[in-house]
Structure formats: C-alpha cells, structure tokens
Amino acid sequence: MRYAAVAWGADGYQVAVVDEHGRQPVEPVLFGRGRLADLVAYVRNTAGSAVVDSTNGIVDGQLMAAGLPVYRADPHVLPPRPGFGSVPAIDIARAAQRDLSALTRLERHRGTQTGREDELAAVIARTEPALAAATAAGRCLSHGDRARPEVALTFDDGPQPPYTGQILDVLERYGVPATFFSVGLHAGGYPDELVRMREQGHQVGNHTWSHPFLQELSRTELADQVRRAGEAVATASGGPVPSCFRPPYGSRTPQVIGWLSELDPTVVLWDAEAEDWAMPGADVIARRILDQARPGSVILLHDGGGDRSQTVAALPPIIEGLLARGYRFVPVEALTPPVSSPSSVSIGNV
C-alpha cells in the first residue's frame, strides 16, 4: 500500500509518497499552481490513496473524481504547521502510514468536511449574534433586499479548467454577470480565466489561499490566507484587490468574524444553494436553485474543486428559469442591501 500526501505552500503543491513500511519509493515532487491535472494523474499513477490535511480543501474533490480514496489528516495527528503553508507532505503521508484509522476517509457527497458537519453547524449557530451585528454594520451579506427582483449568481473554488471557462461561456451567451470567489493557490496558475472574468464584467472575490477550516487558524494564519489570496487574484486578473470575501464552508466563529472585520473585506454568505459539489445531477441542481431563489438571493454554485460538469449543464435552466420569473442578475457588490437581519444559511462544501 502506498500513501500519496498533498501539501500546499506559496508556490503550489508538494506530493510525497510512502509505502506501508514508511519508506519513500520516490522523491517528493512539486506541482506549480497551474498543474492540478498533472498532480491528480501523478497521485493516481504512484499510489493507491491520497491524503490531505484540514487546511487543504481544494484538491480532494478532484482526487475523488479520479477514483482515489482520499483521507483527511486533522491537526491532532500532525506536527505544528509552519508560518504559511501546510505541514510537509512527508509528515502527512507518514501520519497515514502510522495509523490510517486516525484519519477521516472523505466521502464525495460530504466533501472535505466529512465527519465534521455537526461541529461546523454548532459553531455557525453560536456565531449568529456576531453575524447579525456584522450585517447591521455593513460588514456581512447573506442576501439582498427582499423587495427587489434581483439575484446574484456566485461561484466558488476556481478557477479550474475546463469548468470555469465553460461557465463563462454560458454567462456570456446569456449576457448575465456573476461573482467568482477564487482560491489564491489557483489564481496565479490560471490567469486567463481571471482576466476573462474581469473583461466580461464579472466580480472577482476572495476565497482564501488554500480553502481551510477557518476556526482552526490563528489570527496571523487567517490574515495571511486573506491577504495573499487577495493579492494573487488582483495580480492574475489585472484588477483591484477583491473587496468581498467568502469563508470556506461558510465556517465562522465570533472570533473569526471579529478578525475579518479588522481585515476590511465584506463577508459574503448565501441563502440559496444546491450542493452541486456533491454531483446530485444537473436536473437536481437546477431544481434546488429554482425552488430556493427569492428576491435578493445570493446563489451558491461551484466552478472548481472537482468535476463541475453538472453545474455547467444546470446553469442554462437556472438562468432561463429566473429570467422567466422577472429576476435581474447582478454582481454581489451591486445587490441592494437587505433591510432586515440575515437568516441562517446552510453549510455547503464551499
């Protein structure tokens, strides 16, 4: 049995492989930020399983789509993280080799948060008062004005070829704007997609550098995740540093909300989502969005993080269905602010 672990850093991903005896049959390999397909192929060809840590929430879907079993190593089984980046890939791989039962096997329909759903839901529930205060102060948005027939399409976890480009094709065909919350690790690897977003009039937001569980981060780690991702998006797109930020998984604590308020972005959540990351089928994705959308809705979909072909297929009926109801599409930044406090949002693998 071989275990291929994927670590992340400022320059991309490192993959290290160990066998059941802890030996390294090959030297660790670095994959730059534009080589995700190569990384997945390498892991598939050199090992029988893949391991990520909990600060890396962006490659597991692609590895599972390639047919690989994927495990998550949480902090208690790993050494301390460095200042920026995950622990070295060899340490993640050896954690799996030592005791695979101490790790969590991810399920595609549950995503990176497999086994942590109740914990995340409890943390989100405790944060409602802080979230309401941030919304009242104009620091957070989960929907717009319920009296106005406008909605915002949003896409998380990209850019990721070919799906980001295919989604941009659909949006261009219908002439509707959207907001893309992009991951910093991928922004520099796929700048053409980000430039195209800007040229087509879409908004580009910040979705952290590596898609971690925010409640596990220190204040410095959170600041680095937000700052570095914003700079990467701005550089790749040729536009400004994003003013809007979406927390991965919608995760938050009162402390995290406070830290984010110091960093100045507007936190954007959502009130309509289809769990498209779980690949329930294009018809199901479209039906869920059309059932949930209301005036002012922020609609959550995904252009990265795995196989997004179903999202691409669901997008035309979503757009046509909402247009038929008289809705106007706007970027998140153009939503008219809500006049009441936010309602609770569900957890998504975002």
Side-chain angles (χ1 to χ4, degrees):
M1 181 66 175
R2 289 183 174 184
Y3 309 93
V6 182
W8 64 269
D11 299 320
Y13 298 99
Q14 183 191 62
V15 179
V17 180
V18 300
D19 63 20
E20 66 269 24
H21 305 293
R23 297 186 295 251
Q24 291 182 256
V26 292
E27 290 297 313
V29 178
L30 179 66
F31 291 88
R33 287 176 281 174
R35 298 185 58 201
L36 277 175
D38 294 337
L39 182 155
V40 172
Y42 177 81
V43 173
R44 187 177 57 234
N45 293 333
T46 58
S49 63
V51 191
V52 299
D53 85 320
S54 60
T55 63
N56 182 356
I58 203 65
V59 299
D60 57 281
Q62 295 165 78
L63 292 165
M64 285 189 281
L68 286 160
V70 181
Y71 297 84
R72 188 189 70 238
D74 291 328
H76 69 277
V77 302
L78 297 172
R81 293 189 294 272
F84 184 72
S86 62
V87 302
I90 187 62
D91 291 325
I92 300 174
R94 285 181 173 150
Q97 178 264 326
R98 285 193 305 270
D99 184 6
L100 192 62
S101 67
L103 278 58
T104 300
R105 179 165 178 174
L106 303 183
E107 301 174 25
R108 192 168 72 173
H109 70 284
R110 299 172 73 184
T112 317
Q113 63 184 326
T114 299
R116 302 190 69 172
E117 295 94 340
D118 290 346
E119 173 192 341
L120 284 168
V123 169
I124 286 174
R126 291 197 301 271
T127 309
E128 285 302 306
L131 185 66
T135 300
R139 308 302 308 162
C140 182
L141 177 76
S142 57
H143 64 79
D145 189 344
R146 294 300 193 194
R148 298 177 66 90
E150 56 188 16
V151 295
L153 281 172
T154 69
F155 298 89
D156 285 7
D157 297 354
Q160 182 192 324
Y163 307 113
T164 302
Q166 292 170 357
I167 287 170
L168 287 168
D169 289 342
V170 175
L171 296 173
E172 185 175 28
R173 187 164 72 244
Y174 285 95
V176 301
T179 303
F180 290 83
F181 288 94
S182 298
V183 177
L185 249 174
H186 295 177
Y190 308 104
D192 291 349
E193 281 84 350
L194 286 162
V195 170
R196 186 179 172 193
M197 291 173 195
R198 180 176 55 79
E199 290 178 344
Q200 287 185 203
H202 304 297
Q203 181 182 355
V204 184
N206 184 330
H207 200 38
T208 71
W209 182 265
S210 69
H211 207 281
F213 291 107
L214 297 189
Q215 65 266 34
E216 290 183 353
L217 304 184
S218 69
R219 183 176 188 170
T220 299
E221 287 176 317
L222 176 63
D224 280 344
Q225 284 272 346
V226 176
R227 177 180 58 81
R228 289 181 183 245
E231 292 172 352
V233 167
T235 298
S237 67
V241 173
S243 61
C244 290
F245 170 80
R246 173 166 282 161
Y249 318 103
S251 63
R252 53 199 182 261
T253 67
Q255 188 174 52
V256 165
I257 292 294
W259 290 345
L260 288 171
S261 69
E262 297 172 3
L263 297 173
D264 205 36
T266 299
V267 175
V268 178
L269 300 172
W270 63 91
D271 69 333
E273 62 126 348
E275 295 187 348
D276 58 323
W277 50 268
M279 299 185 67
D283 291 344
V284 173
I285 293 168
R287 184 174 67 252
R288 287 174 177 173
I289 295 300
L290 293 174
D291 286 347
Q292 295 176 37
R294 301 167 57 193
S297 279
V298 177
I299 297 167
L300 169 62
L301 295 165
H302 296 80
D303 66 316
D307 181 346
R308 301 296 174 240
S309 57
Q310 293 182 2
T311 303
V312 175
L315 194 51
I318 289 172
I319 292 172
E320 291 175 10
L322 292 173
L323 287 173
R325 297 178 187 179
Y327 285 106
R328 181 171 67 93
F329 291 90
V330 298
V332 163
E333 62 189 354
L335 274 177
T336 305
V339 295
S340 60
S341 60
S343 59
S344 299
V345 300
S346 61
I347 302 173
N349 192 51
V350 302

